[in-house]
Amino acid sequence: MATEAEILKALRAWHKISGSLFFQHVKTGASFSRDQLRILDGLHVKIAWTKPIFEGYEVKISRSDFLRDTKYTEYLPYCTHFSFVVPDKMVRKDELPDHIGLIYYKEDGSLRRVRKAQALPLQDPEKLNSMLRYLVYYRTPNKAEHIQAATEQARHNRRRWQQAEDNADRWRDKYYAASNKLYKLGYKEDI
């Protein structure tokens, strides 16, 4: 039986191929928001200036979990598209409204889009804006993290360069020692 983690990993890999962004467990806003906070299992962001796509995903790993779900409609104002991702053939596409997409997770770890999600009307731009602010503020590295990563990389490079210099010095000393021994043995030619 597939786990949510396996399905999310497959979604991340699927979107990485296309160069899109993928986030797991995305809050629909700040934790202290007045609105009721929801958490999407996954969010695919197709970067585009004219028609960006924000496809929300709800992962279901059991049929009973799918049948009990009534909250998925609360995610729709935060997405331009919405799809369920389920183990292969657990849900039929005729069990979903026409505008909701369906993706099967296959036993081999691959994904198959059974029905493409239709574009949803943007009901409340402020809700989408709230979720995007959450992603920018809390889910992307800040300048301090970038500076720390660059500093660590510079330290690592410095250690490697020092190691290379030390190795070159050792080999040069060995060469001179061998040259001196050969000279003492009577070899006069430059080695």
Side-chain angles (χ1 to χ4, degrees), residues 40 49 65 80 94 98 140:
L40 288 156
W49 287 108
D65 187 22
T80 60
D94 62 2
D98 291 338
T140 56

Side-chain angles (χ1 to χ4, degrees), residues 71-169:
K71 70 181 185 315
Y72 82 90
T73 56
E74 297 172 19
Y75 297 134
L76 303 184
Y78 299 93
C79 307
T80 60
H81 299 74
F82 185 85
S83 294
F84 277 97
V85 187
V86 299
D88 195 21
K89 298 179 183 153
M90 186 183 87
V91 175
R92 294 183 323 273
K93 63 183 175 183
D94 62 2
E95 294 180 84
L96 297 170
D98 291 338
H99 60 283
I100 303 296
L102 181 60
I103 299 170
Y104 284 161
Y105 176 78
K106 311 286 270 176
E107 285 185 23
D108 64 1
S110 65
L111 297 169
R112 182 171 72 89
R113 191 178 292 275
V114 178
R115 181 169 64 203
K116 187 175 181 175
Q118 295 176 9
L120 300 168
L122 189 56
Q123 300 166 8
D124 184 356
E126 186 53 38
K127 287 190 176 195
L128 179 59
N129 187 20
S130 176
M131 182 180 65
L132 294 177
R133 282 196 315 266
Y134 162 76
L135 286 174
V136 169
Y137 297 161
Y138 301 108
R139 299 291 294 274
T140 56
N142 61 33
K143 287 182 184 179
E145 289 172 332
H146 285 291
I147 291 169
Q148 183 178 1
T151 302
E152 287 302 317
Q153 185 63 44
R155 283 187 191 132
H156 175 73
N157 289 342
R158 233 180 274 122
R159 282 192 299 269
R160 288 181 56 212
W161 294 329
Q162 185 61 50
Q163 204 172 27
E165 279 184 13
D166 292 347
N167 286 340
D169 289 345

Side-chain angles (χ1 to χ4, degrees), residues 47-58:
I47 302 168
W49 287 108
T50 54
K51 292 186 181 178
I53 292 175
F54 302 95
E55 184 172 7
Y57 295 112
E58 179 70 5

